[in-house]
Amino acid sequence: MKSTDTLDIVSQCADLLTRVLSLEGREHALATDTRLLGAVAELDSASALSILTALEETFSITIHDDEIDAALFETVGSLADFVEKKIRCLPAG
């Protein structure tokens, strides 16, 4: 990943959600405070796994089972915050 700027991470997460959940035409509605779980019909357990895999691939992070809970998918911002914390924990280099 080139930048760990918070707005960039939010934007990349929104783009990823748009792609994985096939939200084309609604991507403009994905802001930091956009509710996901229970609010986006396309978000189910199967798509959640696809999102986690895409996050790992996009941001070169590893997500462990014990890090996954409903709070992670509460909003676009909660997802982006999680990614930002994971990036900060990556070894330098």
Side-chain angles (χ1 to χ4, degrees):
M1 177 163 148
K2 297 176 184 170
S3 172
T4 57
D5 177 74
T6 301
L7 291 177
D8 188 44
I9 292 171
V10 170
S11 175
Q12 288 184 59
C13 284
D15 290 346
L16 183 144
L17 289 165
T18 298
R19 183 172 29 86
V20 173
L21 299 176
S22 299
L23 299 176
E24 287 79 11
R26 293 188 284 165
E27 62 271 10
H28 65 282
L30 294 179
T32 304
D33 61 349
T34 301
R35 299 200 59 73
L36 297 173
L37 196 59
V40 176
E42 293 84 355
L43 180 58
D44 58 19
S45 57
S47 61
L49 290 174
S50 295
I51 291 166
L52 294 171
T53 301
L55 288 171
E56 289 181 322
E57 292 171 356
T58 300
F59 295 101
S60 301
I61 59 175
T62 300
I63 301 170
H64 302 283
D65 292 344
D66 62 350
E67 297 175 303
I68 304 166
D69 62 18
L72 178 61
F73 292 96
E74 187 175 330
T75 65
V76 174
S78 64
L79 204 57
D81 288 345
F82 173 78
V83 168
E84 186 172 20
K85 288 175 189 165
K86 294 294 289 184
I87 290 170
R88 276 196 243 132
C89 292
L90 290 175

